[in-house]
Amino acid sequence: MSREWTIKSALIAIAAVLMILGGAPLYKHRHYEVPVVAGPGVTSVIKLSEFVPSLKGSMADADVFVLEGKEPGGKVLVMANTHANEPAGLLTAVIMIENAVVEKGTLMVIPEFNASAGRNTRPGDGYPLYYDIPTEWGAKRFRMGNRDTSPLDQWPDPDVYIHYPDKQLLSFIDVRNTNRTWPGRPNGPLMEKVTFAAMEMMRKDRLNIAIDMHGAETMFPVTNCIVAPQKSAKIATLVSMTVKAMEGFDNHVEPSPPNFHGLSHREIGDFSDTLPFLLEAPIPFLDQPTGPKTVKLLLDGKDPFLLSLSKKKKLFVPYDENGWPIEKRVGQHCSVALEIIRQYSKKNPDTAIRISGIPRYADLVKNGVGRYFHDPAKAEKKSVYYE
Amino acid sequence: MGVIMILYYLICAYILGLLAWDFVREKKSVNDMILYLLVLIPLLLRILRIK
Ligand SMILES: [Zn+2]
């Protein structure tokens, strides 16, 4: 071999090793499956492609767990992982799927609404690929996703995202953000198809309530709150007052801006009869001025920089040495969702919904999140789904 | 997969081909060889549907 090709072969070998070292963990992450044990309440599992057939076979074809009660009543949809880097929603959704029992009405749960973003990551921000939740039977491993759909599923991005149908100009990245692509269209970019499928489900199945669970930075004013449009505002206010009085945590109401398009709390209400609510729990991990983006920070929310900012009154939530642990965030989502359902049912006895088996804020703070996950190894094979 | 997405994969493969050809034709500068390979990695990862 000539000297030239000896050097070139060595360089190719080094590049190949770098590619394998960098690529293999990403490939594994994208294809890692999280087992979810369908609990006693689950009556069927459908897919979003039932409403938009072209989603079939794509990474974006999310599962919808249906928990139908014996007694007819109203219908509520709970969505998580609209933003797959805000894990409190996903953990809440899995708790609901594995534990809820519906006595009256129907509960529908989409644990990974942006199923592609749940298989994406943000290496430039040092995101961990996984996080483990300790349980009595060992650690349950979840993928840490990204805010946006993987470009492997939706590519390229436009220079500017022109929202449909309002023609509002949004950032290019928002074409892959499922909280900007509502209400969507059946032949638009992939994420518009996803939101359109959910809209179709709400319209055809006549859903009464839609709850979209998120997390937001402690330095962002719209955090630790319920975002609601005018038509949901009354229930949201009652919920906010009730959880404060009965369960002792703050969750204020933020009005949904009428002229900011593409968000679930805006478009679901405008394009269907369903009442939308968007829940925000604080997630210190997403704040910019923190220490390393570790799994520990993701789960306990403790950060010395946020603590000093809190003393300077720069945060929008109370913050002390205890951080903002995941069990508190999941507990808030559980209690607020249950309270929305209860307040709605009080006002609408014909379409009331009655659910048991879902823990509330105090239960989660006391027992932790892992206490409510069931061991897939001990469950019947047919009741284990992979998300 | 949309038509535009397919076109982007074709563009990607075309640029990958150009870079590989430049790498083969570079006789002297090791520095340039390394740079061609480095630029080539993300394109290859996309075509292999890894990142
Ligand atoms: Zn969010």
Side-chain angles (χ1 to χ4, degrees), chain A residues 326-338:
Chain A
I326 190 75
E327 51 271 19
K328 248 174 98 169
R329 284 131 65 186
V330 173
Q332 288 193 184
H333 278 337
C334 283
S335 274
V336 172
L338 287 171

Side-chain angles (χ1 to χ4, degrees), chain A residues 82-83 85-86 147 179 213-216 278 280 286:
Chain A
T82 292
H83 294 146
N85 58 343
E86 299 163 5
R147 183 176 170 90
N179 204 26
M213 299 182 295
H214 287 251
L278 186 147
E280 295 281 14
L286 291 186

